[in-house]
Amino acid sequence: MKLLSECKSKIKKLPLKKVYYLLFLLLVILPILGVLLATLAILNQQFKQQAIENIRQNQQTIIAELKSDIDGMSMRMASIVFANNNEIIQAAVAAGEETNQRFEYAQQLANVENLYLEPEKDLISVCFYMKDKSSAYLKNYILKENVSETDWYQAAMEKKNKIYVGSYETKSVNDLFYGGRDEMFILIFALAPDYSVDRSGKVEMAALYHSSKVADRIKENNRNYEKGKNSLGYARITDGQGNCIFSTGEKKEKEWLSERMCVKSPVEFFGNTWYVENYIRPGELTADFGRLAIAVMGTAVFVLLLVSYFSVYFLKSIVKPVEAVNQGLRQVEEGNLDVFIEVQGQFEIRNMIHQFNVMVQRLRALIREYEEKVRKNRKSPSDCLAELVERKSTPEQIRQENPEFFEHEYLVLGMYADYGSGKKQSRDLGEEMLKSFYRNSQYASKCCAYMETPSVIYLMYRALEPEYLEKAKSLMKELQNSAGKEFGISLFVCIGEKQKGAENFLESFSQVERKMSLRHLMGKERILALETELKEADRILEMSGDWSRLADALYLADEKNVTEEREKLFDRIEPYEMEEIRIYMLSVILAVCRRFEKGNDSFTEMFGQEFEYSEKIGRIEDRREARIWLSNYFAWIIEYAESRLEIQETDMVIKAKRYIASHYDDPSLSLGQTAEYVGLNEKYFTNKFTKEAGETFSEYLASVRVQKAKQLLRTTSFKVYEIAEMVGYHNVESFNRAFKKISGVSPTKYRNGEKTKG
């Protein structure tokens, strides 16, 4: 206590300046530095954890792609071996024997290659290794010798009729097959058939070789790591015994193990376990943090020095003038508006005092004006505009009550406020933005505003100058900049045509209200003047209503109806030149945008950026390019709808349609199977599907198959009977009957260009 008393006594004897700086050091600088150091320590650990999490996320991406390859190729391997009563194995055995039917079986093997292997470009070969050491190959000849001595071959031999997955890493060009590259990651799917599968007993092993794109992902990862473009470390894949089964570059494993830490994630399949491993130096995990820490510490020290240096200056130049303003505000709060503060202090403070004096004068004027209006019972311009928009008063009533409202020529303007992704729309925030506009003298003198919703705002602009449109555009640009900088809000502005008098107001307002939706085509920060821009706007808006069914199908990712409506669109634009086709395209885009907006979904999120469609469509030069662009556009939207809209699983009809879209090529697909999938009994499902889909289950399934067949007929050279099998028909006769019933022409005539009825 005595020591504390002595310290207080000494402090009181010190000059005020020294006391101020001493207390500033003890109570401000040191606590800030302490908090800063503790925060940096915590951030260091979080940066490290986040870096490891980024590595694991990258590994999960590799794992997902690897599992996809394994699952897909395992199914294909099973299909090749077991399909059609094992006829492929029989054909492979017979094709290698000296028999009268050898040519027939060789041709059958060639057909199998066309049917099963050509569509999959990453499938390298299917090999049949015979017990007599001969072999048969589909697609590519495998150069590797002594295959029977490999681990995967021996493991597959131990479990008959079970698929075993092995791997092989190519070391040079043509290492495994002609046309191969170095550093390819080859997945091998091996199956040793027993006598129930291979009745001849001659096939010892069937093996499918598949080139996994995981290799490209790992190579890209390692290249970027070496170039310093990522901090994910060197990646490789090992088996359950720790043996490396795929890696890239010339780095040695000993160097990896000695100098780097390992982050690994398991890949489990068919009872086996592989690992995706990343090797990285511990210091690299927090490299970004080190740079950040230096920058933060340097900035903090610099700021503290500046604060210390200018603290005395602020004491002298701010405190006293602010106290004067505070006293003035207290008098205003008490109702005394006869306040005037002498201008003093630094420029900003002097300006603040001046604004205070002007504000008090303005308040006195506003109060007198308000009192005058109260006496005359007149509404403010904003109140008049609000009553007109809400249809509470007619323009004639407003003109009679407030003659000055329609005294001058005017423009009706509409604003759409985009608050940005992740930001909640707020009327309070919108009103704060409108209040801030009054700092602009041109806006304050010429405009009144009404906020219908947080996103939709209407203005009335007094057109007093000959160059009124350019002045209005310039003002709107200033308001856009202000809203963006202060509130993070983007404004689309639609400027109506110049009007005079009350009788034209509602027509002009309706025109602006209707054409606000054109923002979907022009970008969220455009200024659209209806007098000079987009003369075809009325046609685009009117035609957009024709595409509501297409928009609904895209929103629900209903591929069948999308395909039907897309073909109708293509038929409709076929006779027109590009100028008219562009109008059709813009009307379709507008219909889709409106439908997604109705569901509270953002196109900016879908495509990762905002497009000005009117300009983008204008660059399309011919009808073929327009069809391709629309097809790609619809495909992007369907992909987004499937992955992001998260259609409720309780909608059984949509769930059933998706199941049909995924299994239409299965000849055994039935009503009962689909009903079981969606969890309904067959009778109830039949009634529900027919009622909501507008057609029976059989009709819908046949329509999906025919739509897929049309696409194959137009874009491939497969034979009709091959296409019939691809879309789920047992025989070509049934396919021809269904195709002609739905399309009006046979498949052959359709391929030759005859029009269909669908």
Side-chain angles (χ1 to χ4, degrees), residues 130-182:
M130 309 301 176
K131 294 179 180 178
D132 62 0
K133 305 306 179 181
S134 63
S135 57
Y137 299 90
L138 294 181
K139 193 169 183 178
N140 286 308
Y141 180 78
I142 298 301
L143 304 175
K144 186 70 176 177
E145 298 180 355
N146 301 322
V147 174
S148 61
E149 298 176 4
T150 60
D151 294 340
W152 60 263
Y153 197 101
Q154 296 299 323
M157 287 294 296
E158 295 178 2
K159 296 181 179 180
K160 298 289 186 177
N161 289 346
K162 299 292 184 181
I163 295 176
Y164 184 84
V165 181
S167 66
Y168 182 78
E169 178 185 1
T170 60
K171 301 300 183 182
S172 60
V173 175
N174 300 331
D175 184 3
L176 184 66
F177 64 98
Y178 292 115
R181 309 184 311 273
D182 62 338

Side-chain angles (χ1 to χ4, degrees), residues 392-402:
K392 292 180 179 179
S393 298
T394 65
E396 185 60 29
Q397 289 173 331
I398 294 295
R399 188 188 65 78
Q400 292 176 358
E401 296 174 1
N402 298 72

Side-chain angles (χ1 to χ4, degrees), residues 110 155 194 312 367 400 441 500 518 603 622 700 705 751:
D194 61 10
V312 174
I367 290 174
Q400 292 176 358
S441 59
K500 181 174 178 60
L518 294 173
F603 260 37
D622 54 46
Y700 183 85
R705 287 172 168 170
R751 172 172 271 173

Side-chain angles (χ1 to χ4, degrees), residues 102 106 109 232 311 398-399 437 640 655 686:
R102 180 181 182 184
L109 274 179
L232 301 176
S311 59
I398 294 295
R399 188 188 65 78
F437 290 168
Y640 172 79
K655 188 176 179 182
T686 300

